[in-house]
């Protein structure tokens, strides 16, 4: 827990405080014990506007933090962290078949899934238990078990830091790709996402095609699953494979699954008959990074307090006293080894700050 007594508030704007030397251990799921030189909780749009007027948003050393579940801090953060705490869950439009639900960007993603389930609205049950906030979900186009955020995305509102304007984005504007969007590319660092609107279904298609879901449901004897059953199955699968950040620090998948030209696959198949591949766009094939890392011998590897998770090689972990630089060094070694063994480059999914 944060000890609030140790940290002085330095700058008092009209309604809020910028804190100095703020501990971030509770705000990054790797659990690194680092600080931010300045830190402020953003609870509403008024506060962003006030910061803008105080010229704080013109700074080049701003970091926007949601759940801290996709960031490796390699050192203390020298700048101003804006911690997103904008909450809210409202049905803004309802039709016979679906409803548009608006979520404050600081809401936890899994909380949003549970809220949708409580309303019997489907579409995001396959995305149960993904750590992080609603605001980060379109940036990453989060995905799991056969569903991506883009499948249910309706629109979002975001504060444009350079101009002080509020802009609205529909799915086309977001240019979603695999764990990718305009917010990771040409608009990187320009926006503070305020709210996200999702179009959820009253009669959602049940998606069990991702193998583990079907086998889990079969094991439970559920032949006609509901969205609630799908959520339970996904939670069960995730809990059995992925380390809980509250117990072992991690950021989920550390690398993206590489998408490679399909013509390199036959040679790999000759060398490794057990290689797993998935079709991607025309002429391209997705190769699971977890398989490549395991095959290269890294699964369960540990050095000091950092390592590769023993049940999912795509997840790098902090056993307690590791630091971000050790994680990045390990990631680079894995990338070099996989490249030399398979000729495939792994791209980091997690951001390094
Ligand atoms: N595999 C191995 N060894 C491993 C891990 C995986 O051989 O150590 C093989 C599995 O046997 C399977 C294939 O790789 O054939 C895919 O594994 P898995 O179903 O566990 O999924 P993943 O590709 O490793 C992706 C997402 C996850 C998401 C799952 C389920 C990425 C980068 N990761 O992982 O997302 O939960 O699929 O849909 O696309 C995240 O982004 O943080 C994340 C956890």
């Amino acid at each position: 827990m944060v000890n609030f007594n140790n940290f002085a508030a330095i700058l008092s704007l009209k309604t809020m405080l910028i804190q100095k030397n703020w501990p971030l251990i509770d705000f990054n799921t790797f659990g690194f014990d680092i600080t931010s030189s300045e830190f402020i909780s953003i609870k509403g749009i008024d506060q962003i506007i006030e910061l803008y007027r105080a010229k704080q948003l013109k700074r080049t050393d701003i970091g926007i933090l949601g759940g801290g579940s996709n960031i490796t801090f390699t050192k203390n953060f020298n700048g101003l962290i804006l911690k997103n705490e904008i909450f809210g869950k409202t049905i803004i439009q309802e039709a016979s078949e679906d409803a548009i639900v608006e979520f404050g960007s600081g809401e936890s993603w899994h909380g949003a899934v549970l809220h949708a389930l409580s309303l019997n609205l489907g579409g995001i049950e396959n995305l149960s238990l993904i750590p992080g906030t609603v605001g980060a979900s379109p940036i990453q186009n989060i995905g799991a078990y056969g569903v991506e955020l883009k499948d249910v995305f309706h629109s979002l509102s975001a504060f444009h830091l350079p101009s002080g304007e509020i802009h609205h984005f529909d799915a086309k504007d977001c240019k979603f790709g695999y764990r990718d969007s305009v917010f990771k590319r040409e608009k990187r660092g320009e926006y503070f996402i305020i709210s996200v609107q999702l179009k959820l279904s009253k009669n959602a298609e049940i998606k069990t095609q991702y193998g583990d879901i079907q086998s889990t449901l079969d094991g439970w004897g559920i032949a006609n699953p509901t969205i609630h059953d799908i959520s339970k199955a996904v939670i069960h699968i995730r809990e059995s494979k992925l380390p809980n950040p509250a117990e072992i620090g991690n950021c989920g998948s550390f690398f993206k699954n590489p998408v490679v030209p399909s013509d390199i696959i036959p040679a790999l198949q000759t060398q490794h008959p057990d290689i797993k591949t998935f079709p991607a766009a025309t002429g391209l094939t997705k190769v699971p990074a977890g398989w490549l890392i395991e095959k290269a011998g890294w699964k369960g590897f540990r050095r000091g307090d950092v390592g590769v998770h023993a049940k999912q090689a795509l997840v790098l972990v902090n056993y307690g006293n590791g630091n971000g630089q050790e994680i990045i060094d390990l990631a680079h070694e894995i990338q070099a080894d996989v490249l030399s063994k398979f000729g495939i480059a792994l791209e980091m999914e997690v951001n390094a700050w």
Side-chain angles (χ1 to χ4, degrees):
M1 283 300 292
V2 174
N3 179 352
F4 290 89
N5 297 323
N6 292 341
F7 307 97
I10 49 153
L11 174 59
S12 176
L13 295 170
K14 212 161 62 192
T15 55
M16 57 186 164
L17 300 173
I18 294 181
Q19 310 286 347
K20 209 180 178 188
N21 295 324
W22 196 252
L24 295 179
I25 189 165
D26 289 340
F27 299 111
N28 76 100
T29 60
F30 261 124
F32 296 135
D33 191 4
I34 38 96
T35 57
S36 166
S37 56
E38 292 169 77
F39 178 96
I40 190 160
S41 291
I42 302 292
K43 301 199 186 297
I45 183 69
D46 295 358
Q47 289 180 304
I48 306 178
I49 292 169
E50 208 175 322
L51 279 174
Y52 179 77
R53 290 196 178 132
K55 305 229 179 314
Q56 291 291 319
L57 302 183
K58 295 262 182 237
R59 298 167 53 164
T60 54
D61 59 350
I62 284 179
I64 299 173
L65 196 58
S69 57
N70 212 41
I71 288 169
T72 309
F73 285 100
T74 54
K75 51 185 180 302
N76 288 334
F77 186 80
N78 191 16
L80 174 62
I81 292 278
L82 308 181
K83 170 76 174 81
N84 187 340
E85 294 188 353
I86 299 181
F87 301 123
K89 308 174 187 121
T90 319
I91 295 180
I92 55 169
Q93 201 176 304
E94 192 163 1
S96 55
E97 293 292 305
D98 47 45
I100 297 175
V101 187
E102 178 171 78
F103 294 96
S105 52
E107 289 286 346
S108 89
W109 174 261
H110 185 58
V113 173
L114 295 180
H115 185 68
L117 289 170
S118 75
L119 298 170
N120 268 319
L121 290 172
I124 51 177
E125 54 282 355
N126 293 54
L127 305 179
S128 294
L129 214 61
I130 294 184
T133 54
V134 169
S137 65
I139 298 176
Q140 274 291 99
N141 183 24
I142 57 171
Y145 304 103
V147 173
E148 284 185 331
L149 180 88
K150 69 171 174 51
D151 304 335
V152 292
F153 180 86
H154 179 265
S155 54
L156 65 80
S157 304
F159 188 89
H160 187 233
L161 302 175
S163 68
E165 294 167 357
I166 292 176
H167 294 168
H168 302 281
F169 290 76
D170 62 18
K172 199 162 153 278
D173 300 327
C174 292
K175 298 187 186 169
F176 290 124
Y178 167 54
R179 294 296 189 281
D180 198 32
S181 74
V182 74
F183 304 106
K184 288 179 84 172
R185 296 187 179 274
E186 57 264 42
K187 307 257 181 242
R188 191 181 188 97
E190 279 187 36
Y191 284 94
F192 187 106
I193 294 174
I194 302 163
S195 63
V196 178
Q197 293 85 37
L198 304 181
K199 190 171 189 180
L200 302 173
S201 174
K202 295 182 181 176
N203 245 318
E205 184 195 338
I206 300 293
K207 293 190 175 161
T208 61
Q209 74 271 34
Y210 207 94
D212 289 349
I213 295 190
Q214 191 59 57
S215 56
T216 303
L217 293 168
D218 289 347
W220 290 346
I222 297 175
N224 293 303
T226 63
I227 53 175
H228 303 272
D229 297 323
I230 297 287
S231 174
K232 280 183 198 139
V234 168
I235 290 171
H236 175 79
I237 298 162
R238 290 188 75 98
E239 284 180 338
S240 67
K241 278 193 191 176
L242 297 169
N244 178 351
E247 288 156 19
I248 303 177
N250 75 91
C251 269
S253 301
F254 198 87
F255 302 98
K256 288 187 186 184
N257 285 323
V259 176
V260 299
S262 303
D263 56 13
I264 73 162
I265 299 296
L268 284 168
Q269 272 166 337
T270 309
Q271 263 184 307
H272 307 283
D274 61 332
I275 192 171
K276 297 192 170 72
T277 58
F278 300 91
T282 316
L284 298 172
T285 298
K286 195 181 263 192
V287 183
W291 183 89
L292 292 165
I293 297 167
E294 176 173 348
K295 203 72 186 171
W298 290 95
K299 196 169 185 173
F301 173 87
R302 179 171 179 165
R303 182 166 57 216
D305 257 4
V306 302
V308 180
H309 190 53
K311 291 187 193 159
Q312 224 301 4
L314 194 43
V315 180
L316 303 190
V317 292
N318 170 23
Y319 289 102
N321 292 315
N323 64 50
Q325 194 52 56
E326 290 167 339
I327 288 281
I328 296 295
D329 291 345
L330 175 58
H332 288 161
E333 279 179 60
I334 292 171
Q335 283 172 316
D337 195 33
V338 166
L339 186 62
S340 77
K341 287 183 170 138
F342 301 98
I344 295 179
L346 293 181
E347 186 189 338
M348 277 169 49
E349 189 199 307
V350 171
N351 298 306
W353 281 8

